[in-house]
Amino acid sequence: MGLFPTVVCRKCKRKYSASLKQCPHCGAVREVQSSRAAAPSDSVQKGTAAAARKADSNMWQLAFGLILLAAVMLSVIVLITTGLNDRESAAGPGNSASLISAPIESPAAVTPTPAAPTPSPTPAVQPTSISVFYNTTPIDPSTGFAHIIGTPLQLTATAYPLDANLTITWASSDESVFTVDQTGLVTGVSEGSATLIVSCGDLSAEFPVWIRESW
């Protein structure tokens, strides 16, 4: 970059140093811009005829704007008044009540009929344990009992908690060894072993049974 800025020749459009007064290429004299501020026009200088004419023009513009605004407001007022008069004429003196809207009747409130409460079903009693007895002696499910062929043996069972609606069922895992009816009567059929199944609801208890020919 040089020490002096460059300028563009107004004639040949080529650049040269701003320190030169004329273009070294075509010899055209460099145009020097004046640093003197432009003189204000007469219209902005007070006391001149141009300033007086500008002030008069501004005053007339303001007056015309005010007149135009007043005319617009007067037109709006006339339109509103005319509309109200036409409405009153259409209603007539005897129909003044028609200008007032009739009150809207609300529908009669309907009192809901309370529904009868649905009785909740009584939950069924679920057994927690089953015990089997011979006479009054309880039978241990881990050891069971032995009996002989052809001799009936009456057993009883109790489900806890005690409830009259609990039904106890009896079954034999192998009726070729022994049979049992729904009263708990066990009868030996042949020598061998099987399982006595006592059920109540979802609960059941099992007792091993051995059937012998004799004691």
Side-chain angles (χ1 to χ4, degrees):
M1 184 176 179
L3 296 177
F4 298 98
T6 59
V7 293
V8 178
C9 178
R10 57 187 175 84
K11 185 176 180 180
C12 66
K13 307 299 181 182
R14 301 174 71 179
K15 293 182 179 180
Y16 61 93
S17 176
S19 61
L20 301 177
K21 293 184 179 180
Q22 61 183 11
C23 177
H25 306 289
C26 64
V29 179
R30 180 165 62 92
E31 182 180 1
V32 180
Q33 296 181 352
S34 175
S35 60
R36 182 179 178 183
S41 61
D42 293 340
S43 60
V44 297
Q45 292 183 359
K46 294 181 180 181
T48 62
R53 286 193 299 271
K54 183 177 181 180
D56 291 341
S57 176
N58 292 338
M59 183 178 298
W60 280 109
Q61 290 178 0
L62 179 59
F64 179 76
L66 292 176
I67 293 172
L68 182 61
L69 178 61
V72 172
M73 293 178 64
L74 182 60
S75 299
V76 172
I77 293 173
V78 170
L79 289 176
I80 294 175
T81 305
T82 304
L84 292 177
N85 292 335
D86 293 343
R87 185 177 178 183
E88 291 178 358
S89 300
N95 298 329
S96 58
S98 61
L99 298 178
I100 303 175
S101 59
I104 301 174
E105 297 182 0
S106 59
V110 179
T111 304
T113 304
T118 303
S120 57
T122 304
V125 177
Q126 296 297 326
T128 58
S129 64
I130 300 175
S131 297
V132 176
F133 301 89
Y134 172 65
N135 291 332
T136 58
T137 303
I139 299 175
D140 189 348
S142 62
T143 58
F145 63 93
H147 197 51
I148 59 176
I149 298 173
T151 304
L153 177 67
Q154 184 64 56
L155 303 178
T156 58
T158 303
Y160 302 95
L162 297 174
D163 189 275
N165 295 323
L166 294 177
T167 301
I168 297 176
T169 58
W170 303 77
S172 171
S173 64
D174 189 353
E175 292 189 348
S176 65
V177 177
F178 74 89
T179 61
V180 60
D181 63 13
Q182 295 308 309
T183 65
L185 184 64
V186 177
T187 302
V189 177
S190 64
E191 188 175 14
S193 63
T195 302
L196 175 66
I197 304 170
V198 184
S199 303
C200 182
D202 297 333
L203 186 66
S204 63
E206 297 182 354
F207 301 86
V209 180
W210 289 268
I211 301 300
R212 302 172 182 172
E213 291 185 356
S214 62
W215 295 110

